[in-house]
Amino acid sequence: SALAHILQEKGKVISGSDSADSEILDSLKRVGAKIYIGHSAKNITKEHGLVVYSPAIPENNVELKEAGRLKINCLTYPQALGLLSKEYYTIAISGTHGKSTTTAMIARIAEKAGIDPTIVIGTKMREFKNRNFKVGKSKYLIVEACEYKESFLNLHPNILVITNIESDHLDYFINFTNYKKAFEKMALRVPKNGYLVINGKDVYCQDVGNKCKAKVVSLGNTGDKFDYLLQNRILVSQDSKGKVRINPKVYGRFNIENGALAAIVGHLLGIENKKIEQALKDFTGTWRRLELKRKKLGKVKFIDDYAHHPTEIQTTLAAIRETFPKAKILCIYQPHQYNRTIHFLKEFGNSFNDVDQVIVPNIYQVRDSEEDVSHMSTDKFVHEIRLHNKNVFNGDGFKNTVKYMKEHHKDF
């Protein structure tokens, strides 16, 4: 959707389809894109000069098949984004967790410094009128780099950030060895005069850093083997770049680390410490990343988060508990993908210990085979969590979950 917006702003005529309506589609409609709900061969005509599609779309999709029949050039979204990145000095942000937030923080720092970059991010930002992109006038492109199906290997990064590396997307990578190799290949795409910024506490990030040809810039907590140290929200450079206070307006210690990595990129771009500090101090988060919603039910606060990996859930809920130590916390969790739920079932079971109650409405099906769906169910997922948190149950769909909340939130 970000690429569609960028091309729309550059004067291209855009149309597209998705399986269900969404806020993101609404934003495209508002700027004049023609949107179809549902996939159909009729959506593709000879007037189309290019078809760009998500890697999640299967090769037998009716629109792709029609584009092939009409001999229209087709690119995956990562391929198209890769072509765009060739035109810029590209800063790519990758990692298993924290990509969107770190990308947003770097974007905020660059904006505060007046760099005016083009930005492509996997979530919406308030500063960009709740859009997930911005078209800038400078030579810089700041882009969130997704590892799924090795999509990020289409990019041409001058600066690459790796926040962390932990097993994920096993429906594609099969095992962690393959997953880690993708990051190794990505690091090798950074030229010798470029930079690889890593969280040095992550042993797998260190391994990747040891195999790349670019200048490695590492973040740690103690010792002299790291280029930067993060201690009590203070980022200390081991050379002459001074100290930066990392104090964003978002929950969680992990977001302090995200902010530190963003500040390091700020230094590589030659941005002053005061501007970096102010940009992070003003950072209030992004859409669906520990987002405090404006609507309330009585005195109940609603926090929306996109976390779908066991580690992300555990750290996110720990951040909420740390911020609200005496609160009663109800977690409504919809697992993302049957396949991921199967692979990490044991880890998921132990991820909800910081909350008082868990409701699971259903499992979100995406990229799942019939075999995946047959091997996992909401009841099976609930059973696993109940081994660690007894106050969990099947919400039986969103309508019944909402009904339960309205009827019981005062007693909860």
Side-chain angles (χ1 to χ4, degrees):
S1 59
L3 185 62
H5 272 292
I6 289 170
L7 294 175
Q8 180 89 11
E9 286 208 5
K10 290 179 177 288
K12 305 297 182 183
V13 179
I14 302 295
S15 68
S17 63
D18 205 348
S19 55
D21 210 347
S22 67
E23 288 181 49
I24 286 173
L25 293 187
D26 288 340
S27 70
L28 280 165
K29 291 174 192 173
R30 285 195 293 271
V31 296
K34 190 171 186 179
I35 302 297
Y36 304 97
I37 303 302
H39 303 297
S40 169
K42 294 179 181 178
N43 297 342
I44 305 294
T45 71
K46 290 180 180 179
E47 293 180 353
H48 289 97
L50 175 68
V51 171
V52 179
Y53 61 99
S54 163
I57 298 297
E59 291 181 5
N60 64 352
N61 176 274
V62 291
E63 294 184 16
L64 272 184
K65 289 172 72 175
E66 181 65 9
R69 190 185 72 81
L70 295 173
K71 297 182 179 178
I72 299 169
N73 187 25
C74 296
L75 295 175
T76 65
Y77 166 69
Q79 287 171 337
L81 195 60
L83 288 177
L84 185 71
S85 78
K86 274 186 174 181
E87 302 175 12
Y88 292 88
Y89 183 96
T90 298
I91 302 156
I93 298 84
S94 67
T96 310
H97 318 297
K99 290 187 291 290
S100 295
T101 299
T102 307
T103 305
M105 287 174 165
I106 293 170
R108 190 82 183 82
I109 290 168
E111 285 284 286
K112 188 75 178 177
I115 287 177
D116 193 24
T118 295
I119 299 159
V120 178
I121 185 171
T123 186
K124 295 184 289 186
M125 288 185 67
R126 297 182 189 91
E127 291 87 353
F128 305 150
K129 301 177 181 178
N130 278 330
R131 299 186 300 189
N132 59 345
F133 77 100
K134 173 187 168 289
V135 180
K137 294 179 181 178
S138 73
K139 67 176 183 179
Y140 294 100
L141 170 67
I142 299 171
V143 58
E144 181 175 342
C146 179
E147 73 274 20
Y148 179 62
K149 287 191 175 181
E150 300 186 328
S151 297
F152 54 11
L153 298 184
N154 291 281
L155 296 171
H156 302 269
N158 300 91
I159 297 175
L160 173 65
V161 179
I162 305 180
T163 57
N164 42 60
I165 302 174
E166 185 179 3
S167 188
D168 199 6
H169 300 300
L170 296 184
D171 57 324
Y172 174 76
F173 289 104
I174 308 300
N175 57 50
F176 177 69
T177 299
N178 294 334
Y179 183 79
K180 183 187 166 196
K181 279 181 180 176
F183 284 92
E184 291 173 0
K185 287 188 273 187
M186 182 59 175
L188 286 170
R189 292 186 65 79
V190 186
K192 194 173 182 180
N193 63 349
Y195 298 94
L196 173 65
V197 180
I198 61 168
N199 185 342
K201 294 193 305 176
D202 187 308
V203 63
Y204 302 118
C205 286
Q206 287 185 22
D207 288 345
V208 169
N210 290 334
K211 295 173 182 176
C212 82
K213 56 181 180 277
K215 162 71 175 172
V216 178
V217 184
S218 59
L219 170 69
N221 291 125
T222 58
D224 57 5
K225 69 176 182 177
F226 301 111
D227 300 286
Y228 285 83
L229 299 179
L230 179 61
Q231 299 171 335
N232 298 321
R233 293 181 180 248
I234 302 294
L235 180 69
V236 182
S237 171
Q238 298 276 41
D239 57 22
S240 59
K241 294 188 178 74
K243 299 179 180 181
V244 181
R245 180 172 292 278
I246 311 295
N247 201 25
K249 294 176 182 175
V250 285
Y251 310 139
R253 280 173 282 186
F254 56 92
N255 275 323
I256 306 303
E257 287 191 357
N258 292 337
L261 292 170
I264 291 171
V265 174
H267 275 171
L268 295 178
L269 296 176
I271 299 172
E272 298 172 9
N273 287 341
K274 285 185 179 179
K275 289 182 179 178
I276 294 172
E277 281 190 357
Q278 191 60 52
L280 291 173
K281 186 179 178 182
D282 293 341
F283 183 78
T284 57
T286 61
W287 181 59
R288 301 202 67 196
R289 272 54 174 192
L290 278 170
E291 180 190 11
L292 184 63
K293 309 297 282 189
R294 292 180 182 177
K295 290 184 179 179
K296 292 184 179 181
L297 186 64
K299 293 182 180 180
V300 178
K301 290 183 173 71
F302 285 91
I303 298 172
D304 187 17
D305 197 276
Y306 184 64
H308 52 262
H309 185 285
T311 301
E312 292 171 350
I313 294 162
Q314 197 168 28
T315 54
T316 296
L317 295 179
I320 295 171
R321 173 57 71 195
E322 184 181 0
T323 307
F324 304 101
K326 296 181 180 180
K328 287 185 177 180
I329 302 174
L330 165 63
C331 175
I332 300 162
Y333 177 65
Q334 182 192 39
H336 184 277
Q337 198 184 17
Y338 283 81
N339 185 279
R340 179 183 282 111
T341 308
I342 292 167
H343 278 294
F344 298 111
L345 184 61
K346 296 291 183 185
E347 291 87 349
F348 275 118
N350 204 30
S351 294
F352 297 88
N353 299 335
D354 276 309
V355 300
D356 300 282
Q357 188 176 69
V358 185
I359 304 175
V360 184
N362 54 29
I363 298 174
Y364 184 73
Q365 184 176 348
V366 57
R367 306 194 304 261
D368 292 306
S369 66
E370 291 181 10
E371 185 180 5
D372 290 332
V373 176
S374 68
H375 277 79
M376 181 51 59
S377 67
T378 305
D379 280 335
K380 192 179 288 188
F381 186 77
V382 166
H383 174 75
E384 187 65 35
I385 300 172
R386 195 168 281 145
L387 297 176
H388 305 272
N389 186 332
K390 292 183 179 180
N391 202 6
V392 55
F393 64 91
N394 186 340
D396 191 25
F398 283 117
K399 287 186 178 179
N400 288 330
T401 298
V402 171
K403 183 179 178 183
Y404 177 89
M405 288 172 62
K406 287 182 176 179
E407 292 176 353
H408 295 280
H409 83 279
K410 289 182 181 178
D411 301 326
F412 170 66

